[in-house]
């Protein structure tokens, strides 16, 4: 139970940060005048396929005592895990937000302008039009990081009662040969993912499954 | 329209807040500005064999209750554990690769190496024993036969203490694993995972006795059919050492806590605990510290000849 809550804690904080940064970033990439836009896109798309273990290694080196942020003593804490997962989720959220905003009817902008909408109102209306795509981006980010093990294992250290989350506990129990327990933890992880996605879907459908 | 986004944010915040309650305690313990780790927390980098066998879970609560220090165990291979010490990411290391440990101290990363305990390695394999090594007294001869018949062998391949030992045995047999064919499988995984692999493949492997016994006897574990085929060769001796990370090299480490831990671990009380740690009727580690030998002078001589923890008192 404690492990499940910790998994949720790390993933949701990371997802919240990614959403707060990623959605505006995606909107800006889609609508704003972005210098070196192609390069930014290439970076975002590369980021969507980042190998978690590489991100883990990178964050490990950053927060290692002999690394640039070593004095924070964040290594082997939830904070380092959140940083790693934010790096993993951010490109997903930003990239999918961007493409869904881009796919909103391009004629909408001049129309809104003609109707006298302010710049901010235009952006908001387009974002509302693209809300399902943005939601999909957030969900994709959630799915990627709740199930991720490489990065959190490396920077969290799988410390019992401190940084052990569902995925690292599954690795440990498998290593110990406790396949049944590992499988049970896997089932919890899956149901967690299903539950969270269902809640979002229900929220979107106004409390109904049908729509 | 906007309700959707709002609803999503609400769900996120609610869940985040909910889980924050559960995670708050460990967050508050992490220092934000100070470079030093808190005095009541100790990061112990150790090997999977001490952790996966359950030894640390068995002895650490006593230390934590007495000292008020919480020990955060990071269980990795010996190579990675020593690297964590060398980076100052751990306060104390408990590993099993003597030559590496001495090098670690010589390079100034650790203050001193202390003997803690030992057990031994065993060569395990399928009961059918295709290379015919059962009962051999020499581990090098057994490895030689495995290489000759090219019977599958799973290597840790992860620079762990067990892997380092395995390479030393190949070398003693005059063989170089880098030249081996497909029968030699470098898994790059922990001991438990490698035992599972060897079991599935009907392959040989080198294991520390503790992890093998813990896996073999553990009713919850997937059944292992692997059997001990070769044991008792002095080359299979497996000593564990504990080393505090040098605070002069890494000023941020919890040096005081590390020394307290080392003093406790090598002290009589912890040594008695190690001696009494049994899983399913088997003793997995034999105490080996200076304090232990002082208190048990007669056991010491006998133990160094025949490193066989199952027969230890």
């Amino acid at each position: 139970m404690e492990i499940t809550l910790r998994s949720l804690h790390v993933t949701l904080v990371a997802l919240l940060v990614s959403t707060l940064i990623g959605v505006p970033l995606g909107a800006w990439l889609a609508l704003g005048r972005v210098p070196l836009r192609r390069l930014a896109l290439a970076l975002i798309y590369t980021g969507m396929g980042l190998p978690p273990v590489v991100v883990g290694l990178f964050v490990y080196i950053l927060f290692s005592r002999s690394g640039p942020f070593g004095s924070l003593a964040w290594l082997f804490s939830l904070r380092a895990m959140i940083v790693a997962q934010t790096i993993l989720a951010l490109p997903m959220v930003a990239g999918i937000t961007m493409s869904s905003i881009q796919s909103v009817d391009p004629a909408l902008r001049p129309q809104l302008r003609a109707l006298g909408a302010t710049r901010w109102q235009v952006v908001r209306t387009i974002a509302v039009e693209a809300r399902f795509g943005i939601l999909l981006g957030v969900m994709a980010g959630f799915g990627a990081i709740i199930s991720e093990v490489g990065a959190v294992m490396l920077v969290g250290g799988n410390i019992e009662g401190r940084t052990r989350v569902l995925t690292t506990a599954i690795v440990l129990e498998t290593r110990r040969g406790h396949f049944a327990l590992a499988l049970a933890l896997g089932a919890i992880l899956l149901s967690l993912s299903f539950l969270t996605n269902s809640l979002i879907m229900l929220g979107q459908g106004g409390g109904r499954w049908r729509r | 329209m906007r309700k959707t986004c709002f609803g999503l944010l609400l769900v996120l915040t609610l869940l985040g807040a909910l889980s924050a309650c559960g995670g708050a305690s460990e967050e508050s313990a992490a220092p934000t500005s100070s470079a030093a780790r808190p005095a009541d927390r100790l990061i112990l980098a150790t090997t999977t064999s001490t952790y996966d066998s359950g030894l640390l879970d068995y002895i650490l609560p006593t230390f934590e209750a007495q000292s008020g220090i919480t020990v955060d165990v990071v269980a990795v291979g010996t190579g990675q554990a020593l690297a964590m010490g060398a980076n100052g990411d751990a306060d104390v290391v408990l590993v099993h690769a003597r030559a590496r440990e001495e090098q670690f101290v010589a390079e100034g990363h650790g203050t001193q190496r202390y003997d803690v305990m030992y057990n031994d390695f065993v060569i395990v394999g399928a009961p059918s024993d295709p290379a015919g090594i059962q009962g051999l007294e020499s581990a090098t001869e057994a490895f030689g036969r495995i290489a000759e018949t090219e019977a599958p062998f799973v290597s840790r391949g992860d620079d762990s203490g067990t892997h380092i030992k395995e390479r030393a045995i190949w070398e003693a047999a005059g063989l170089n694993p880098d030249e081996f064919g497909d029968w030699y499988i470098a898994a790059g995984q922990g001991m438990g995972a490698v035992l599972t692999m060897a079991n599935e493949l009907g392959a040989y492997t080198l294991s520390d006795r503790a992890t093998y016994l813990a896996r073999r006897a553990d009713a919850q574990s997937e059944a292992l059919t692997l059997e001990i085929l070769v044991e008792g060769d002095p080359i299979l001796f497996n000593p564990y050492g504990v080393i505090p990370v040098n605070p002069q090299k890494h000023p941020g480490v919890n040096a005081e806590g590390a020394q307290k831990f080392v003093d406790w671990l090598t002290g009589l009380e912890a040594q008695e605990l190690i001696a009494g740690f049994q899983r399913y009727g088997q003793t997995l580690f034999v105490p080996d510290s200076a304090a232990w030998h002082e208190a048990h002078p007669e056991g010491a001589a006998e133990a160094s000849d025949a490193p066989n923890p199952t027969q230890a008192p």
Side-chain angles (χ1 to χ4, degrees):
Chain A
M1 187 61 200
E2 189 202 349
I3 295 175
T4 311
L5 282 178
R6 194 174 300 117
S7 263
L8 266 180
H9 172 74
V10 170
T11 296
L12 290 176
V13 173
L15 195 61
L16 199 66
V17 177
S18 311
T19 307
L20 290 179
I21 304 173
V23 171
L25 180 69
W28 179 61
L29 282 172
L31 302 173
R33 262 186 233 107
V34 184
L36 298 176
R37 186 154 179 279
R38 295 270 154 205
L39 179 65
L41 290 193
L43 285 176
I44 291 269
Y45 287 135
T46 309
M48 289 170 81
L50 273 183
V53 70
V54 173
V55 172
L57 183 63
F58 175 71
V59 173
Y60 186 103
I61 291 168
L62 279 186
F63 290 111
S64 168
R65 192 161 281 280
S66 36
F69 299 113
S71 56
L72 293 175
W74 277 18
L75 194 63
F76 305 131
S77 76
L78 295 183
R79 295 174 189 200
M81 294 160 76
I82 290 169
V83 170
Q85 296 215 322
T86 303
I87 295 175
L88 284 168
L90 183 58
M92 296 246 183
V93 177
I96 300 179
T97 298
M98 183 192 70
S99 60
S100 60
I101 286 183
Q102 275 174 335
S103 62
V104 171
D105 185 0
L108 189 61
R109 268 173 98 180
Q111 277 174 21
L112 289 168
R113 283 277 185 182
L115 289 169
T118 63
R119 201 177 150 67
W120 171 237
Q121 283 172 325
V122 172
V123 171
R124 215 175 53 183
T125 311
I126 293 178
V128 168
E129 279 301 307
R131 66 191 180 279
F132 293 120
I134 296 173
L135 195 67
L136 187 72
V138 175
M139 277 162 52
F142 176 82
I145 60 178
I146 187 100
S147 60
E148 181 282 320
V149 64
V152 289
M153 185 67 127
L154 212 56
V155 303
N158 192 24
I159 297 168
E160 186 178 17
R162 291 251 291 158
T163 60
R164 181 163 303 162
V165 292
L166 281 171
T167 52
T168 59
I170 291 172
V171 171
L172 175 70
E173 296 306 339
T174 308
R175 206 166 72 194
R176 284 179 164 171
H178 297 166
F179 288 179
L181 182 53
L183 213 55
L185 289 169
I188 295 177
L189 184 61
L190 272 178
S191 4
L192 198 66
S193 204
F194 177 71
L195 198 75
T196 313
N197 281 323
S198 302
L199 275 175
I200 294 173
M201 279 295 136
L202 270 180
Q204 193 186 71
R208 288 188 302 266
W209 282 115
R210 277 279 182 89
R211 265 167 47 185
Chain B
M1 291 273 198
R2 240 179 306 152
K3 251 195 307 189
T4 318
C5 295
F6 180 73
L8 168 66
L9 216 64
L10 195 72
V11 169
L12 276 180
T13 333
L14 271 178
L15 283 172
L18 188 85
S19 58
C21 303
S25 51
E26 49 262 53
E27 273 294 88
S28 57
T32 45
S33 54
S34 141
R37 274 195 274 273
D40 62 347
R41 294 211 96 98
L42 195 65
I43 296 185
L44 167 67
T46 186
T47 71
T48 49
S49 51
T50 57
Y51 193 67
D52 291 4
S53 64
L55 174 73
L56 292 176
D57 285 340
Y58 178 72
I59 65 169
L60 284 182
T62 313
F63 173 72
E64 293 181 332
Q66 282 175 12
S67 63
I69 297 173
T70 309
V71 182
D72 293 337
V73 181
V74 180
V76 290
T78 289
Q80 197 184 336
L82 288 173
M84 277 176 60
N87 286 333
D89 295 329
D91 301 310
V92 57
V93 294
L94 171 63
V95 292
H96 61 141
R98 195 157 204 156
R100 294 289 190 91
E101 292 162 40
E102 277 156 10
Q103 187 191 346
F104 181 81
V105 174
E107 285 168 358
H109 297 307
T111 51
Q112 198 189 330
R113 179 193 180 279
Y114 301 84
D115 284 325
V116 177
M117 60 191 181
Y118 66 84
N119 61 9
D120 62 343
F121 291 105
V122 290
I123 303 176
V124 299
S128 60
D129 189 17
I133 62 166
Q134 181 150 33
L136 286 181
E137 290 193 354
S138 158
T140 45
E141 197 186 333
F143 269 35
R145 280 202 201 170
I146 293 171
E148 231 168 78
T149 51
E150 308 211 328
F153 183 97
V154 183
S155 164
R156 290 281 295 274
D158 61 351
D159 203 27
S160 60
T162 309
H163 184 218
I164 293 165
K165 174 65 79 178
E166 182 214 306
R167 291 198 67 108
I169 300 174
W170 288 119
E171 201 184 314
L175 296 161
N176 179 3
D178 297 337
E179 294 163 2
F180 290 164
D182 288 343
W183 59 272
Y184 183 77
I185 301 153
Q189 301 207 53
M191 194 70 252
V194 164
L195 282 171
T196 305
M197 266 179 93
N199 196 49
E200 294 289 333
L201 297 169
Y204 295 99
T205 192
L206 182 74
S207 172
D208 66 286
R209 190 185 290 268
T211 309
Y212 170 77
L213 284 179
R215 280 297 304 279
R216 173 90 195 197
D218 185 351
Q220 284 172 35
S221 286
E222 209 62 9
L224 280 187
T225 57
L226 298 174
E227 278 175 9
I228 295 179
L229 299 172
V230 176
E231 60 186 323
D233 185 338
I235 201 176
L236 296 174
F237 184 53
N238 180 27
Y240 287 78
V242 67
I243 310 171
V245 173
N246 191 350
Q248 273 158 1
K249 197 138 192 168
H250 300 287
V253 299
N254 182 357
E256 200 187 318
Q259 194 59 47
K260 254 190 214 164
F261 176 72
V262 168
D263 291 344
W264 177 82
L265 187 65
T266 55
L268 259 188
E269 188 192 4
Q271 295 280 307
E272 299 279 2
L273 279 176
I274 292 170
F277 174 64
Q278 290 200 334
R279 295 208 63 176
Y280 314 97
Q282 305 259 29
T283 306
L284 300 190
F285 296 96
V286 182
D288 192 29
S289 79
W292 171 267
H293 286 301
E294 217 169 281
H296 303 265
E298 78 292 347
E302 162 193 332
S304 55
D305 300 336
N308 190 346
T310 49
Q311 279 149 30

